[in-house]
Amino acid sequence: MGSNDNDPMYDITDGDGGPNSDSGQEDDSSSVLRAVGRQIKAWRDRAGLTQAELGTAIGYGEEMVSKVERGIRVPKPEFLDNADRVLNAGGMLSAMKPDVAEARYPKKVRDLAKLEADAIELGAYTNTVVHGLLQTEEYARANFRERRPSYGEDELERLLAARMSRQEIFQRRPAPLMTFVQEEVTLRRPIGGKMVLRRQLEHLLELSKLMYVQIQVMPTTTEEHAGLGGSLRVLKLSDGSAVGRDEVSLTSRLITDPKEVQIMEMRYGMIRAQALTPRESLAFIEKLRGET
């Protein structure tokens, strides 16, 4: 937990991220996928089938089989089960399903999800887009499509699935206390179009009904603002410790030093005090929805 997570290979930030923080797939999950792909190819060669023939037999296209064998595409459980059956692999391919399930998402996203799963309290201020845990799928997709350099479709789907999977935190019992402060501009910018924004605002209103979720808005007219340094997040963990994430363009850094975390907690507390109250924020979001 003491590592610096400003690796340019993945966008794990819930803000804008930046072009150098959101491209590539070279982590441990890619190694797993390539190993699985080699196994499938070996069993296919042993059976004397082409990629097209295997695809026809298991209900997938030749291109999908090719991408799975090259470790580019994550095979679904049924893909592995059907391939195991057709290739007479004796359960060897089906047995890879747990490894593939974990490798479905980038390691850094998995690490972040583990932190969130261990949190008893989570607070986040976001100044560029709606926070990732609050995003609808269509808003998140539109957000990813705006990144430059652009994602390939497979990579986009992988990162989208990873972001959506983290929202399982809302189903945890007991649920952690979650507070969010959104810069006003993030609720006005029509990423994906006005209807996507409207549904996003409606989603925020629904989440606001949860007893363990508080959403606040930082108005643009606010003169005093402790969050001008950029998006940030603080998490209090079940063992009593706390960590922070400092999120700025091109960098998302995990912070574990108690003194630095204390500064972030103080800063976040000031941000919450300067923002509209949860009740005022709810009325503000409802007003924006009516205008959209």
Side-chain angles (χ1 to χ4, degrees), residues 32-103:
V32 170
L33 296 178
R34 286 195 296 268
V36 170
R38 286 194 295 269
Q39 284 294 312
I40 294 173
K41 183 179 186 303
W43 283 101
R44 178 176 61 77
D45 289 342
R46 181 178 179 180
L49 298 178
T50 65
Q51 290 179 339
E53 290 170 337
L54 174 59
T56 299
I58 65 176
Y60 289 88
E62 178 181 1
E63 183 180 2
M64 173 63 76
V65 175
S66 174
K67 287 184 176 181
V68 168
E69 289 188 351
R70 286 181 287 151
I72 297 175
R73 194 69 179 265
V74 182
K76 293 183 177 180
E78 55 266 29
F79 183 107
L80 294 172
D81 286 337
N82 291 339
D84 191 282
R85 172 179 51 80
V86 170
L87 299 175
N88 296 314
M92 297 295 290
L93 297 180
S94 292
M96 294 179 174
K97 287 189 290 186
D99 296 320
V100 171
E102 184 171 351

Side-chain angles (χ1 to χ4, degrees), residues 5 19 25 28 35 51-53 57-58 99 101 136 144 154 175 202 205 245 252 255 262 266 268 285 288 290:
D5 277 331
Q25 292 186 336
D28 67 329
Q51 290 179 339
E53 290 170 337
I58 65 176
D99 296 320
T136 64
F144 280 131
D154 291 340
E202 291 171 347
L205 293 173
R245 294 195 74 89
S252 178
I255 298 173
Q262 188 177 49
M266 177 188 67
Y268 183 62
I285 296 172
L288 289 180

